[in-house]
Amino acid sequence: MYTLLTSLDPSSIPSSLTPPKVIVFSSANPSFWIGHYDINLILPNGTSLSANETTALFEKNVAVARALGTLPTIFIAEINGRTTGSGGEFLLQCDMAFAGPDAVLGSMEGAVGGLQGNGGIQYLVRRVGMARAAEYLLQATSIGAQEAAEVGWVNRAFESEDRLREGVDEIVYRLSLLPAGGLNGTKSAIRANGPSVEQADADVATILRLFPDEIGYLPRLIELSENQTAGEFELGALRDIKDVERLHGVE
């Protein structure tokens, strides 16, 4: 993703070409649009990566989020699966989001003692309002497509996967007819109220500060999800309070 977005920077594109007006992110995996980060990557001794390599991965994650907001291309999320953790941050950085009937959106960070980063919190507040953002984020809960559309987490929910694809294609076609300069300028103006780089950096600093103290829950998450296998716990996306109780050792 980092390589893709870097290639879309106007400074990386020959002057004879222009950046694409629109890019749609969809998923061939029916269960997930974009899931949470591979927890093994952030566990001490979870992989063979060095500390510097792990830091580089986080830095690329931050760069991806910033690119979605600053590049002139319009990014559309076409969701019909689970979108949690860093996947949820990615969604909130997109310019528009449309959901199919099987979409599940949420934040699991609070359940392990962390918080969303990369502007995810600020953009969710702008979409659904402060009180609703607090309701979802503080509880580390997730919601379905229809509720997400009703509160503004996504632009619209469609009744079927086919209708989702048709609806997004109609929007993309209309955008393809419009002049790029106006689209780019409008996106830039819309983004003017987004979180600052300083705020995003502060969020990342908070995550790193919390991480050592709360890391005890991550091995338990690995265990319950059978190392993030698409089973009952992982697919549940912590919607059921019983899964939260199991995570925290409440019988």
Side-chain angles (χ1 to χ4, degrees):
M1 187 64 72
Y2 175 82
T3 301
L4 168 66
L5 294 177
T6 301
S7 74
L8 297 175
D9 191 305
S11 64
S12 302
I13 298 176
S15 58
S16 59
L17 301 175
T18 57
K21 292 179 182 177
V22 188
I23 285 182
V24 177
F25 293 112
S26 62
S27 174
N29 186 329
S31 297
F32 290 92
W33 183 68
I34 300 180
H36 58 75
Y37 224 71
D38 180 359
I39 296 170
N40 290 303
L41 294 174
I42 54 179
L43 280 174
N45 303 316
T47 69
S48 59
L49 295 178
S50 68
N52 288 339
E53 288 171 328
T54 301
T55 299
L57 278 177
F58 274 109
E59 289 175 348
K60 284 188 174 181
N61 198 35
V62 172
V64 163
R66 289 179 180 166
L68 290 170
T70 57
L71 289 172
T73 298
I74 307 300
F75 296 105
I76 298 179
E78 183 183 300
I79 308 158
N80 199 35
R82 285 150 190 82
T83 305
T84 59
S86 54
E89 296 170 4
F90 188 98
L91 159 67
L92 289 164
Q93 293 284 357
C94 289
D95 299 294
M96 301 179 220
F98 300 90
D102 297 325
V104 174
L105 292 80
S107 167
M108 61 179 294
E109 286 86 346
V112 294
L115 70 155
Q116 276 200 348
N118 297 329
I121 294 175
Q122 293 82 9
Y123 275 121
L124 185 62
V125 169
R126 284 160 175 75
R127 290 192 183 206
V128 307
M130 184 175 70
R132 277 207 168 99
E135 177 185 353
Y136 300 130
L137 294 174
L138 294 176
Q139 293 188 94
T141 190
S142 55
I143 60 176
Q146 194 58 49
E147 182 177 351
E150 290 171 358
V151 301
W153 202 324
V154 298
N155 293 66
R156 201 181 317 161
F158 291 90
E159 66 277 8
S160 70
E161 185 176 6
D162 288 343
R163 185 67 193 101
L164 168 64
R165 175 59 56 83
E166 292 169 0
V168 171
D169 284 351
E170 289 168 3
I171 292 169
V172 170
Y173 174 67
R174 184 180 181 92
L175 291 173
S176 74
L177 300 176
L178 306 181
L183 294 175
N184 302 159
T186 300
K187 171 174 177 170
S188 179
I190 290 171
R191 292 283 181 157
N193 286 325
S196 66
V197 171
E198 291 75 18
Q199 179 63 61
D201 287 345
D203 290 348
V204 172
T206 300
I207 292 169
L208 295 176
R209 176 175 57 82
L210 291 170
F211 180 71
D213 295 330
E214 305 296 341
I215 197 171
Y217 293 113
L218 295 178
R220 178 62 173 161
L221 199 63
I222 287 279
E223 177 186 354
L224 290 172
S225 66
E226 298 180 349
N227 195 14
Q228 305 161 100
T229 300
E232 180 181 357
F233 183 86
E234 183 77 4
L235 294 176
L238 297 181
R239 298 183 80 178
D240 192 329
I241 186 62
K242 292 181 180 179
D243 285 340
V244 180
E245 290 175 340
R246 292 169 67 196
L247 177 63
H248 289 270
V250 177
E251 300 296 337

